[in-house]
Amino acid sequence: MLITIEGIDGSGKSSLLNGLKEELSDLDVIYTREPGSTWIGEQVRRGIAENIDPVAEALLFCADHAAHLGEVIRPSLKDNKIIISDRYTDSRFAYQAVTLKKILPEPMKWLKEVHEGWTIKPDRTFLLVLPVEEALIRLKKDRDKPEHFECGNVLEEVLNNYLEIAETDPERFILIDALKNKEEIIKFVADCIRQMPHKQKKYL
Ligand SMILES: Nc1ncnc2c1ncn2[C@@H]1O[C@H](COP(=O)(O)OP(=O)(O)O)[C@@H](O)[C@H]1O
Ligand SMILES: Cc1cn([C@H]2C[C@H](O)[C@@H](COP(=O)(O)OP(=O)(O)O)O2)c(=O)[nH]c1=O
């Protein structure tokens, strides 16, 4: 079972994941993230830090996703594990549709085509919905957070993309009001995960 957590920078994804580790400690869960912790993930972070060409950056994120699928997602699904990923494909759809906007005529269409045929769709996605101004306040408090997208306008567009994507797939998405307190959010998501039917599926 593949569960993903999405939202703009500072929306509380890492906090939620950490909380779930405790709340779901009796379950055998694989926690993972994109960009990943492999050498490709390191190159993605380097690309972000050095503000590289947006197409190069988008393709690095895709390469990282391919490695993530090969190294973590597919093997864990084969073992019938519960996987919870901090960011996944929707991050590309939400963020790169903005960064590629001035380069490609239809970035979202391009991004969907690039992923077609090899990615694996999550069973459930929790989207933390937080107003950009609150995210910026939270991020300012965290000095160690990347500042790549700490520009309100970009995050505003990213948030809108997320909401549009969620609208097209209401069965997969659960929207969370990220203004609620951490404990309440963690408890709600943990309960949702416990209630999900965990059936054996066949994956490539
Ligand atoms: N529900 C919440 N209410 C208030 N502050 C929060 C909440 N969730 C997270 N935070 C704080 O906001 C900041 C960013 O949270 P974080 O989990 O790192 O977000 P992300 O991983 O999405 O960037 C951290 O200082 C965190 O403690
Ligand atoms: C996975 C992914 C992340 N990103 C961006 C979102 C973040 O600004 C940055 C780093 O991600 P991350 O380390 O998850 O940052 P945060 O914890 O603040 O959300 O990379 C993309 O633009 N596209 C992607 O496909």
Side-chain angles (χ1 to χ4, degrees):
M1 180 162 77
L2 175 58
I3 296 159
T4 62
I5 298 175
E6 295 281 357
I8 60 172
D9 300 53
S11 57
K13 298 178 302 301
S14 320
S15 307
L16 172 57
L17 219 87
N18 286 333
L20 290 176
K21 283 181 189 167
E22 242 178 71
E23 196 70 32
L24 298 175
S25 59
D26 58 310
L27 299 183
D28 192 9
V29 178
I30 304 284
Y31 295 94
T32 182
R33 60 171 307 181
E34 290 188 14
S37 43
T38 62
W39 68 267
I40 303 179
E42 280 164 28
Q43 297 316 305
V44 176
R45 289 202 180 81
R46 183 172 164 190
I48 295 172
E50 294 182 14
N51 242 328
I52 58 166
D53 173 86
V55 177
E57 188 189 66
L59 294 173
L60 272 178
F61 277 122
C62 291
D64 179 58
H65 180 59
H68 191 208
L69 288 173
E71 286 165 31
V72 181
I73 306 290
R74 279 199 198 92
S76 306
L77 286 174
K78 274 207 181 107
D79 285 347
N80 203 28
K81 298 262 197 238
I82 299 171
I83 307 158
I84 304 183
S85 184
D86 179 349
R87 295 198 182 280
Y88 193 75
T89 309
D90 295 307
S91 282
R92 240 107 46 231
F93 297 157
Y95 282 81
Q96 272 59 58
V98 180
T99 60
L100 295 173
K101 193 167 75 164
K102 291 201 178 111
I103 298 169
L104 299 171
E106 292 183 84
M108 190 69 92
K109 186 164 170 269
W110 184 83
L111 287 160
K112 293 216 163 132
E113 282 167 5
V114 168
H115 284 82
E116 233 167 69
W118 57 277
T119 192
I120 294 172
K121 196 173 161 171
D123 297 293
R124 184 73 80 241
T125 299
F126 293 94
L127 174 61
L128 291 163
V129 181
L130 187 71
V132 172
E133 55 272 30
E134 176 61 25
L136 293 177
I137 293 169
R138 289 186 190 177
L139 285 167
K140 283 215 174 71
K141 286 191 200 150
D142 287 354
R143 298 248 173 93
D144 63 326
K145 282 281 159 190
E147 296 187 7
H148 184 49
F149 284 113
E150 284 187 36
C151 158
N153 292 340
V154 172
L155 287 183
E156 206 70 69
E157 287 183 63
V158 172
L159 178 57
N160 286 337
N161 285 340
Y162 268 131
L163 293 172
E164 272 175 31
I165 298 163
E167 242 177 69
T168 63
D169 202 350
E171 290 202 354
R172 171 162 68 94
F173 276 88
I174 296 183
L175 270 58
I176 313 268
D177 176 0
L179 282 170
K180 293 220 154 87
N181 78 55
K182 267 188 219 178
E183 287 63 37
E184 198 180 342
I185 294 173
I186 293 163
K187 178 89 181 45
F188 173 80
V189 173
D191 286 348
C192 286
I193 292 173
R194 284 188 190 282
Q195 282 159 24
M196 280 176 68
H198 184 198
K199 284 190 223 108
Q200 187 96 39
K201 271 196 193 177
K202 286 211 167 120
Y203 291 94
L204 272 177

